[in-house]
Amino acid sequence: MDRDIGGIRCSEVLARLGDVLEGDLLEADRARITTHVAGCVECRRFGVRYADLVAALRTSDVPPAVAAALDARLRVR
Ligand SMILES: [Zn+2]
């Protein structure tokens, strides 16, 4: 389960998750991880707490388009 989604692999997403939640990431990296988690069922199954991730992202300066995409995904679920 090491799929490349949004330009980043599962292993990289999981390795950086702590940084995401602490807001300690470059904007480009955060955008890639956000896209990956939104599109990767495997990462969510693996234990990514998606709601926490979204909450963390919302508290930082997420581009409105990204936030809207995440909202849409959550509503679909
Ligand atoms: Zn993944």
Side-chain angles (χ1 to χ4, degrees):
M1 60 148 274
D2 200 13
R3 302 197 289 168
D4 188 335
I5 297 175
I8 187 169
R9 291 189 164 279
C10 292
S11 54
E12 295 175 83
V13 170
L14 295 172
R16 292 180 163 193
L17 203 57
D19 291 337
V20 172
L21 294 175
E22 287 165 19
D24 188 21
L25 271 185
L26 296 176
E27 179 64 35
D29 289 335
R30 194 165 55 200
R32 275 205 300 271
I33 290 172
T34 302
T35 302
H36 181 103
V37 173
C40 183
V41 176
E42 295 300 327
C43 274
R44 276 180 268 158
R45 267 193 203 137
F46 196 69
V48 172
R49 296 182 62 189
Y50 192 51
D52 286 352
L53 176 59
V54 172
L57 291 166
R58 278 202 184 120
T59 61
S60 47
D61 54 338
V62 178
V66 173
L70 284 170
D71 283 343
R73 295 269 185 180
L74 286 174
R75 274 195 288 273
V76 168
R77 293 179 72 210

